[in-house]
Amino acid sequence: IASEVAGAPVLRVDVLGTPNVLVVPQSGFVGVGVTNPSSKLTVKGDSTSASKSSLDVKDSTGKSLLFVRNDGRVCVGTISPQANLHVAGVVSANTTSFSGISATTLNIGKGSFFVNASGNIGIGTTLPSGNFTFFKKFTDVPNTDFTSQKIQVVLGASQPNTVFNFNKNITGLDVKLNSNSAGNTFSGNRAVGVSINMSALALNTGS
């Protein structure tokens, strides 16, 4: 199909009184619902309603792979977006920038930093057993020193021999075990703030 009339589209399809259902102008771009497509494919919805969509790409089984709703929300793997971009599955990216993250779980670096649905955080593990779990497994004799947790406070004066007169406490780790009312008490064997268990550790002479 070709058009020799200047400015006239090469192809235009109207359906039952609805014009410009499909338009191919002389630029070679394709427009759906629009007469002057600005990209190789331009789709214009018929409303801004969340109950309608402008694009639905499906696989051979009929499952939606890419779904664009008329209110501007985009879905991958679902047709019920809970945000402007909703991906049902795993997202992989080399570099990302967010002003905020809302997720059921968060897994960065294959367990390097993990947050489960209960809010527990794991460093080095995807199975945190408490609010904060650090995990490191040595499969061989390490050739460098290893520190699981490190708190460092630096006095960074620009001049040597500077005296720092602190009128506030400097706390590296503060553990508090409190009850939220006078009627609540601890019951059981013990309440432990910091526990170090070396019962299964064998130390050589000089360690």
Side-chain angles (χ1 to χ4, degrees):
I1 302 175
S3 174
E4 297 180 356
V5 179
V10 176
L11 174 67
R12 192 183 83 182
V13 177
D14 300 339
V15 177
L16 298 177
T18 302
N20 307 316
V21 173
L22 177 66
V23 176
V24 182
Q26 295 185 17
S27 65
F29 292 174
V30 177
V32 177
V34 61
T35 59
N36 55 339
S38 56
S39 304
K40 289 291 184 180
L41 175 62
T42 301
V43 180
K44 181 181 179 181
D46 59 1
S47 71
T48 58
S49 172
S51 63
K52 295 184 178 181
S53 64
S54 296
L55 180 66
D56 189 2
V57 180
K58 299 183 178 183
D59 63 14
S60 60
T61 66
K63 178 183 177 181
S64 291
L65 303 177
L66 176 63
F67 187 83
V68 181
R69 221 165 58 178
N70 280 359
D71 62 350
R73 292 196 168 187
V74 179
C75 319
V76 177
T78 179
I79 58 173
S80 302
Q82 304 302 312
N84 288 342
L85 175 61
H86 185 157
V87 179
V90 177
V91 177
S92 176
N94 293 329
T95 304
T96 58
S97 177
F98 302 101
S99 59
I101 298 177
S102 177
T104 303
T105 61
L106 181 64
N107 190 348
I108 299 176
K110 296 181 179 180
S112 295
F113 182 86
F114 181 82
V115 183
N116 66 15
S118 300
N120 294 337
I121 299 173
I123 302 296
T125 178
T126 58
L127 299 171
S129 56
N131 289 343
F132 221 140
T133 300
F134 292 85
F135 180 82
K136 174 67 175 180
K137 181 178 181 180
F138 290 103
T139 57
D140 202 350
V141 177
N143 54 16
T144 60
D145 295 337
F146 173 75
T147 302
S148 177
Q149 303 173 52
K150 184 176 182 179
I151 300 173
Q152 183 175 357
V153 179
V154 177
L155 302 180
S158 59
Q159 300 295 326
N161 302 320
T162 300
V163 177
F164 287 80
N165 294 314
F166 290 103
N167 58 6
K168 299 293 184 181
N169 294 329
I170 303 297
T171 303
L173 179 63
D174 186 9
V175 179
K176 294 182 179 180
L177 301 176
N178 295 328
S179 60
N180 60 6
S181 72
N184 294 333
T185 59
F186 289 107
S187 176
N189 292 330
R190 57 183 177 171
V192 179
V194 177
S195 175
I196 301 175
N197 187 346
M198 294 186 177
S199 60
L201 181 63
L203 299 178
N204 291 328
T205 303
S207 298

